[in-house]
Amino acid sequence: GESVGLHLPTLSVQEGDNSIINCAYSNSASDYFIWYKQESGKGPQFIIDIRSNMDKRQGQRVTVLLNKTVKHLSLQIAATQPGDSAVYFCAENPGYSTLTFGKGTMLLVSP
Amino acid sequence: KAGVTQTPRYLIKTRGQQVTLSCSPISGHRSVSWYQQTPGQGLQFLFEYFSETQRNKGNFPGRFSGRQFSNSRSEMNVSTLELGDSALYLCASSPGAGNTIYFGEGSWLTVV
């Protein structure tokens, strides 16, 4: 498939390292945030979400941190694997079922 | 449970033509939204429908339109295609506001 993630910030890590991907959001009224993973030629895949009444949420190998004071989100991936290589997007939900996306970060994992 | 299904997956159109893209949401999901993804602009919201009503619309010209049917399936249409409309068009579905939003694999549109 074609690439839709050209000229993105890139994070390169070694297999087994922990990865941290950061994101700034814009709307202080947003109360729901989602991280998506997008592999080449595919649609965004849900990873983890967090609501504004929380500052941390953990999933399997992933943790999302929310800092509402500075409107910042981060996604931490533990023990990164080559299969984690993809573009990662944060998205905020400003209302209804609509999303405003960040620009994305490309994660490259070397064996 | 089947995911969000989009058809067609790939299509090529000529400038000035129109195109219709189709989306079947996850069973039970009543909200369907559409996004355009390009290398230059990233992921941009087009519009969102819930129970056949458009609830929200992004900043796109009137050439972009959509609709939702009583079975929650949705279509979007782009008329008078321009080269800049070449993009990946993504459909997403959700049970409703504040719930997880799931995406389909997208429809790749190339305008020549």
Side-chain angles (χ1 to χ4, degrees):
Chain A
E2 300 176 40
S3 169
V4 290
L6 302 179
H7 310 300
L8 293 173
T10 300
L11 175 64
S12 296
V13 301
Q14 294 286 118
E15 183 177 1
D17 287 351
N18 295 331
S19 302
I20 300 177
I21 300 172
N22 296 303
C23 173
Y25 65 92
S26 57
N27 191 338
S28 56
S30 293
D31 60 1
Y32 180 49
F33 305 87
I34 309 175
W35 279 98
Y36 289 94
K37 170 187 180 183
Q38 188 174 29
E39 296 173 289
S40 182
K42 296 188 175 182
Q45 175 189 354
F46 170 85
I47 302 173
I48 191 168
D49 57 5
I50 189 168
R51 300 195 185 274
S52 59
N53 61 352
M54 305 171 70
D55 52 22
K56 180 179 180 179
R57 188 163 190 226
Q58 289 183 290
Q60 189 173 18
R61 282 202 306 120
V62 293
T63 300
V64 55
L65 299 178
L66 173 62
N67 185 330
K68 295 182 287 296
T69 303
V70 294
K71 294 192 284 188
H72 183 269
L73 278 163
S74 68
L75 175 70
Q76 301 177 0
I77 305 173
T80 314
Q81 303 167 359
D84 295 327
S85 294
V87 177
Y88 289 80
F89 293 95
C90 68
E92 59 181 303
N93 177 212
Y96 297 120
S97 294
T98 64
L99 296 171
T100 301
F101 281 87
K103 294 193 181 303
T105 296
M106 184 173 290
L107 176 64
L108 297 175
V109 183
S110 306
Chain B
K1 207 176 199 181
V4 179
T5 304
Q6 292 187 245
T7 56
R9 285 279 283 138
Y10 303 92
L11 66 167
I12 300 173
K13 290 286 188 178
T14 304
R15 256 184 314 175
Q17 287 186 315
Q18 65 96 24
V19 66
T20 298
L21 308 177
S22 181
C23 173
S24 293
I26 293 170
S27 177
H29 287 193
R30 295 169 66 188
S31 169
V32 173
S33 49
W34 289 89
Y35 295 79
Q36 181 196 66
Q37 187 173 26
T38 60
Q41 299 298 318
L43 278 148
Q44 293 187 287
F45 168 72
L46 280 157
F47 25 67
E48 188 243 352
Y49 290 86
F50 184 87
S51 294
E52 301 180 68
T53 300
Q54 186 181 91
R55 294 198 298 188
N56 205 359
K57 188 177 191 306
N59 189 25
F60 278 83
R63 299 186 296 108
F64 291 80
S65 63
R67 58 178 176 167
Q68 186 180 32
F69 302 96
S70 59
N71 61 0
S72 293
R73 193 176 66 84
S74 177
E75 289 180 347
M76 69 161 282
N77 184 276
V78 188
S79 62
T80 319
L81 284 165
E82 301 176 0
L83 296 178
D85 297 332
S86 295
L88 176 64
Y89 289 89
L90 291 158
C91 173
S93 79
S94 164
N99 287 279
T100 305
I101 299 168
Y102 297 94
F103 283 83
E105 296 293 356
S107 293
W108 286 97
L109 171 65
T110 301
V111 182
V112 297

